[in-house]
Every structure is written in C-alpha cells, then in structure tokens.
Amino acid sequence: MPETILVTGGAGYVGSHVAVALVRAGYAPVVLDNYANSTPAVLPRLRALAGYAVPAVQADVRDAEALRTVFRDYPIAAVIHCAGLKAVGESEVRPLAYYDVNVGGAIVLAQVMGEAGVAGLVFSSSASVYGEPDALPIAEDAPLRPHSVYGRTKRVVEDFLCDLARANANWRIALLRYFNPAGADPSGLLGEAARGRPNNLVPLLGKIAAGELADLTVHGGDWPTADGTGVRDYLHVQDLAEGHVAALRYLAGARGALPINLGAGRGHSVLEIVAAFERACGRRIAKTIARRRPGDVAACYADATRAAQLLQWRTTRDLDAICADAWRWQQGGGRY
Ligand code: WQD
C-alpha cells in the first residue's frame, strides 16, 4: 500500500507540483487547500497528469476540527506543509494575516499531527529567512536576518518546529528553504496562476512576452553584481517538488528538525533571466532600468551541498528549461 501523504496548500503552485511528484514516486497524496490563493480547477489537471484520482479536501489549515477529520478519514503517514501566504510586499501591509496563517496554521497543524501520532513533517520554508547574506553561496548555518514580515514568519515557524523536536524526539522535520522557484510542468497543465499582477520575475516575463503587461521595470541597475542587476538562485518547480520527495525519504530514517537549502547553487542576474526568456519565447522583452526595490538584496544563491549529501538531490533542469516551460504555461493562458 502506498504511504498517504497530506499536502497542505496542495492546489497551489508548488503544492500541485509536489502532489504530482509524490504520485510519480509511489506515494498517495491527499490535497488540503482553502483555495484562498489557488482554485479547485487545478484538481482535474493534477489528477490527469498524475494518473491518479488525488483526493482533495477544502479546509483551512487553521481549522483544527477540519484537520482532525482529515487525519481520521485518511491514514496519513506524513505531512508536506505548503499552505501559507507568500507575497513579500503584501506581508509588509498585512502582518497580522501573515502571522495568523503562516505561524498560526503551522501551530494548529503540529497540534493535530501530535494528537494523531504523525511525526514526519516537510515544511515549506524560504531563503528569505537569510536576509542580506554575509557570504555567498549561503549555507544553512548562515545567520538568519529576514528583511520582511514574510521571512520572519518563516523563521518563527522554523524556530517553533525546532523547539518541538527538542521537546519530543519522535518528531522528524525537514525545513526546506526554497530559493527562487520558477517554471512549470512541461505538459503546460500546471503552472503559477498568480491572482492579478505576478510578484515574481519569471511569471512577469511571461505576461510581458504575451502582451498582457507592457514592459519590465528592472529594480536596480547599480547593484554590486557583474551586470549591475540583482542575482538570484532560480530552480525549476519540478526540481523543487522532487526535493520534497527526497526529503520525505530522508525523514524515514531521521530524527529532529533540520534546515535544508533547495536551490541550484548558482546565481543568475535579472538581465540573464530576461535574455534566457527572450530565447525561449523568440520575442524581445521591453525593459526599463529603475531604482532598487526596498527590501531587495544584491545577490542570493544557495550552498546546496547538504541537499546533495543528505537527500542525494540536486537540480537537473537548467535556465532554458525553466523559461521554456514557463512560456509554454503562459501560451496556454497561464491560468486555470
Ligand atoms: C527576483 C529578481 C528583483 C520583479 C521572492 C521572495 C522569496 C520567494 C521568491 C517565496 C530580483 C528582480 C523582480 C520585477 C525586477 N518567495 N525583479 N523587476 O524577491 O528574489 O524572492 O520570491 O518563497 O521568499 O523573497 O523574487 O521574483 O520578486 O525577484 O527587477 O518586476 O528579479 O529585484 O533581483 P525575490 P522576485
């Protein structure tokens, strides 16, 4: 019998790709989502792609009774917790919502997992916990100085999960620090369906190439980087999803809570991403170099050694694949 894995936020951008990767790895995912930042329209596509009727429950991860019902209805062996609010800019103007959902939701989930005796947890954390790095590439033992409310909520959850694991040795927790996920399933069936204007660079380029947005405002051309534009560690969302499966496998023989970077281990500048996207779509991306965006850092990319050594995981899809798959998703409408 395949192990049943609860994926909170499983109708979202990362969660839906994780659910497909789980089925392909022989697990039986159950999706839980409140559809606050996603839509049930993803489910038939997810099921078609996975070749399996993935069960889905509409519920809010802060609703303890709803979670208890899920743990009663399904033989949950472990949880992948993707549900949360993730817009950095929005977090600055809605701090209460971000602490309520991201921190409050994780507390309720851990409470119900404890009651159900389920100890395996893969938590969707973020490289934004690092803030401005002292050194590059960034290793997991780098100081945590998040710049944003969003990043601080992720650090609070990491701290509380580490305290939980110290108090009870049964817990097995992977804290996955995502760098910059991008791209989409090559089928064109799943992708990043942002509500309104996308926050992140790669989906923005798709909207500009499709003529839905006019041009790209490059946030800063005077950063201390090779071409003056911001450098980030972009990884394909499928690589990221497979990293969750690898973390689940690792937890089967682990104890405690461990942060693990999920990144390509190298950085690309904004201009390099624009050039790669132009190659993928065969169109020019109009751009204006403007002033820096508050809260941005010059460069941020992962030391991905721990994931390679402990999870036997590394990225396998390159920048051209990210842009080709993101463009294919956009050409299909870029929405559900
Ligand atoms: C990438 C680069 C921008 C838009 C954020 C979160 C992080 C994670 C990923 C959730 C930067 C530049 C962007 C634009 C630009 N989210 N840019 N013009 O800020 O690195 O990371 O999303 O986990 O936690 O912090 O991603 O895609 O916004 O920016 O020049 O219109 O593109 O300055 O250098 P970011 P991003």
Side-chain angles (χ1 to χ4, degrees):
M1 271 299 278
E3 278 198 329
T4 300
I5 308 297
L6 178 64
V7 183
T8 71
Y13 171 48
V14 172
S16 56
H17 285 84
V18 166
V20 171
L22 284 168
V23 174
R24 289 174 175 167
Y27 292 95
V30 173
V31 160
L32 180 142
D33 208 302
N34 67 355
Y35 306 121
N37 191 29
S38 58
T39 166
V42 71
L43 297 172
R45 297 182 181 207
L46 190 165
R47 290 164 178 153
L49 207 48
Y52 167 68
V54 177
V57 176
Q58 180 169 1
D60 188 307
V61 72
R62 295 167 293 179
D63 180 344
E65 273 319 303
L67 284 181
R68 289 187 180 106
T69 301
V70 174
F71 279 82
R72 276 197 297 271
D73 291 350
Y74 297 93
I76 307 290
V79 178
I80 296 181
H81 181 37
C82 296
L85 301 178
K86 64 162 190 165
V88 171
E90 182 190 52
S91 74
E92 298 303 317
V93 294
R94 295 183 65 209
L96 182 59
Y98 272 69
Y99 278 93
D100 183 23
V101 174
N102 293 359
V103 179
I107 290 171
V108 172
L109 175 64
Q111 172 68 40
V112 175
M113 287 178 70
E115 292 167 4
V118 176
L121 173 61
V122 175
F123 171 58
S124 161
S125 190
S126 167
S128 58
V129 299
Y130 293 116
E132 181 85 42
D134 293 333
L136 289 168
I138 306 174
E140 287 86 351
D141 60 357
L144 304 187
R145 296 183 297 234
H147 271 191
S148 64
V149 166
Y150 166 74
R152 283 192 285 279
T153 65
K154 291 296 186 179
R155 183 185 57 186
V156 168
V157 175
E158 287 197 10
D159 287 348
F160 129 71
L161 292 175
C162 289
D163 290 340
L164 214 54
R166 261 194 294 278
N168 179 334
N170 291 329
W171 282 103
R172 300 174 280 113
I173 303 173
L175 308 167
L176 300 186
R177 293 175 180 163
Y178 303 175
F179 280 70
N180 288 58
D185 188 281
S187 66
L189 289 174
L190 298 182
E192 193 162 9
R195 298 218 162 149
R197 181 186 173 85
N199 294 304
N200 297 127
L201 178 63
V202 172
L204 269 172
L205 296 180
K207 300 293 182 198
I208 295 166
E212 290 183 26
L213 293 173
D215 70 347
L216 175 71
T217 300
V218 178
H219 297 316
D222 59 349
W223 292 102
T225 60
D227 64 15
T229 63
V231 170
R232 296 292 185 275
D233 182 330
Y234 299 89
L235 71 157
H236 197 291
V237 66
Q238 281 189 301
D239 279 330
L240 181 71
E242 289 160 9
H244 288 69
V245 175
L248 208 51
R249 290 212 170 99
Y250 163 75
L251 286 183
R255 281 291 177 276
L258 187 68
I260 302 173
N261 288 337
L262 291 188
R266 60 163 300 188
H268 287 288
S269 74
V270 175
L271 296 184
E272 286 174 321
I273 300 294
V274 170
F277 206 91
E278 288 178 333
R279 287 196 300 274
C281 68
R283 304 177 185 183
R284 254 185 48 67
I285 300 281
K287 57 186 178 292
T288 310
I289 307 282
R291 64 180 184 283
R292 299 178 179 185
R293 178 173 66 175
D296 266 356
V297 297
C300 172
Y301 54 90
D303 174 339
T305 308
R306 180 176 287 181
Q309 289 177 343
L310 288 185
L311 310 185
Q312 290 75 52
W313 174 90
R314 55 176 55 79
T315 55
T316 61
R317 297 156 179 98
D318 64 10
L319 193 53
D320 287 333
I322 287 174
C323 292
D325 292 339
W327 178 233
R328 187 178 306 104
W329 163 250
Q330 175 57 47
Q331 284 184 296
R335 59 178 60 84
Y336 290 106

